[in-house]
């Protein structure tokens, strides 16, 4: 599994050391002054857009009262509502690390929430998926030769009939590969001819911004606020899915349907009462 997961990085390293890789790198190096100048212009445009946006700076919206009164937060980052009662971000180094981790978890939570909900919704529409309830998939796969057909299309079977080990390896590549490239720095892909104009949290470029949203400075800085707000909501939602699964032993879509059909009998209070 670990050997398989390391293949993309090994392949990129081998490519960078080959004659073709060196030729690609030389071509990129010839364009680097122009690319870096354009990246710097983009960074300056983003900074100016933050100064214009209502979501940044000293006059940004904050949480009411003491909740939004952290004096060490200056509104430079997206989603800064002045909330840090434990002063975890008072040290600039710690703040930068916490910010990176928050973005990382927010993005995966948004993807994870969609991944938990969509299969169950598709199953309600009659699509054969194998096992649609997110928290049952691992056990079902380990204890049977179940074929997972997430797309509902014959031949498009991401998990297929493979064992749990190969599925885990694929996840390590699909999830770990982009995060590794982002973590080691925006210059990590230059040896294979890929220039990333952004920073570690927002690398940009073709792999991370294929639709070039960063070109619209005002839109980009506002989208960053929307991203972190939705990401925080998704993290709370994922916590809710974990608790629902542990308490009700059902899927989230089924929980919602039961609540809608019987709000008085299927809610947080009745479920806690059953648990106790």
């Amino acid at each position: 599994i670990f050997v398989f997961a390391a293949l993309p990085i090994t392949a990129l390293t081998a490519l960078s050391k080959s004659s073709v890789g060196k030729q690609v790198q030389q071509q990129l190096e010839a364009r680097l002054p122009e690319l870096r100048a354009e990246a710097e212009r983009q960074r300056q445009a983003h900074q100016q857009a933050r100064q214009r946006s209502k979501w940044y700076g000293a006059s940004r919206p904050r949480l009411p009262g003491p909740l939004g009164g952290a004096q060490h937060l200056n509104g430079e980052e997206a989603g800064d509502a002045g909330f840090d009662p434990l002063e975890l971000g008072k040290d600039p180094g710690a703040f930068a690390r916490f910010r990176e981790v928050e973005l990382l978890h927010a993005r995966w939570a948004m993807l994870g929430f969609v991944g938990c909900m969509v299969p169950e919704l598709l199953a309600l529409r009659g699509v054969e998926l194998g096992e649609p309830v997110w928290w049952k998939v691992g056990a079902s796969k380990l204890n049977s030769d179940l074929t997972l057909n997430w797309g509902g299309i014959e031949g498009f079977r991401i998990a297929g009939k493979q064992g749990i080990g190969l599925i885990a390896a694929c996840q390590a590549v699909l999830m770990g590969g982009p995060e590794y490239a982002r973590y080691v720095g925006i210059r990590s892909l230059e040896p294979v001819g890929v220039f990333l104009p952004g920073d570690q949290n927002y690398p940009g470029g073709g792999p991370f911004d294929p639709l070039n949203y960063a070109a619209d400075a005002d839109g980009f800085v506002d989208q960053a606020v929307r991203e972190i707000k939705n990401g925080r909501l998704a993290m709370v939602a994922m916590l809710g899915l974990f608790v629902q699964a542990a308490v009700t032993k059902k899927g989230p879509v089924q929980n919602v349907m039961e609540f809608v059909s019987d709000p008085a009998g299927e809610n947080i209070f009745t479920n806690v009462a059953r648990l106790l």
Side-chain angles (χ1 to χ4, degrees):
I1 294 174
F2 290 108
V3 171
F4 183 78
L7 284 179
I9 306 302
T10 305
L12 287 176
T13 303
L15 177 61
S16 68
K17 296 182 180 301
S18 68
S19 58
V20 174
K22 290 178 180 178
Q23 184 178 2
V24 169
Q25 187 175 9
Q26 289 172 356
Q27 292 175 350
L28 177 63
E29 288 175 351
R31 299 179 56 220
L32 275 179
E34 175 187 351
L35 293 172
R36 287 175 178 165
E38 177 59 31
E40 180 58 30
R41 285 193 293 269
Q42 190 176 85
R43 278 191 286 271
Q44 291 177 2
H46 290 169
Q47 183 59 35
Q48 293 169 2
R50 291 186 186 95
Q51 294 172 0
R52 294 190 297 268
S53 175
K54 69 176 182 178
W55 301 109
Y56 297 81
S59 61
R60 71 196 184 279
R62 300 191 186 200
L63 294 179
L67 292 176
Q71 297 300 315
H72 57 280
L73 299 179
N74 54 22
E76 290 184 358
E77 296 290 343
D80 177 0
F83 180 76
D84 188 12
L86 301 180
E87 297 188 343
L88 298 177
K90 200 166 187 178
D91 174 67
F95 178 82
R97 176 55 183 161
F98 288 143
R99 176 65 178 178
E100 179 187 0
V101 171
E102 181 185 35
L103 269 174
L104 172 66
H105 285 81
R107 288 163 177 168
W108 286 124
M110 286 187 283
L111 289 172
F113 184 79
V114 173
C116 291
M117 299 292 288
V118 169
E120 199 174 348
L121 289 169
L122 288 175
L124 289 175
R125 301 290 296 179
V127 179
E128 178 57 43
L129 302 173
E131 176 52 71
V133 179
W134 69 272
W135 62 271
K136 295 182 179 180
V137 173
S140 299
K141 193 65 182 173
L142 282 171
N143 298 321
S144 70
D145 59 352
L146 177 70
T147 294
L148 301 177
N149 186 6
W150 296 113
I153 302 172
E154 186 65 31
F156 185 66
R157 293 175 175 173
I158 299 174
K161 296 182 178 180
Q162 290 78 19
I164 198 73
L166 187 55
I167 296 173
C170 290
Q171 289 183 330
V173 173
L174 294 173
M175 298 173 68
E179 280 306 318
Y180 177 81
R182 184 195 59 78
Y183 178 77
V184 297
I186 62 172
R187 300 186 64 181
S188 61
L189 296 181
E190 288 185 11
V192 291
V194 178
F195 176 76
L196 301 178
D199 55 36
Q200 186 163 295
N201 289 330
Y202 303 95
F208 294 94
D209 185 16
L211 300 180
N212 198 25
Y213 285 121
D216 176 11
D218 292 297
F220 175 81
V221 298
D222 286 346
Q223 287 286 0
V225 175
R226 294 188 183 98
E227 178 190 40
I228 192 60
K229 284 187 174 182
N230 282 282
R232 289 166 178 167
L233 182 61
M235 286 189 282
V236 174
M238 285 304 304
L239 177 60
L241 295 192
F242 298 154
V243 174
Q244 279 183 319
V247 173
T248 69
K249 312 299 183 185
K250 301 173 183 176
V253 175
Q254 185 178 356
N255 285 144
V256 172
M257 293 177 63
E258 290 179 353
F259 171 75
V260 171
S261 63
D262 182 16
E266 295 291 340
N267 55 59
I268 185 173
F269 303 107
T270 57
N271 279 314
V272 169
R274 293 189 192 107
L275 183 65
L276 296 178

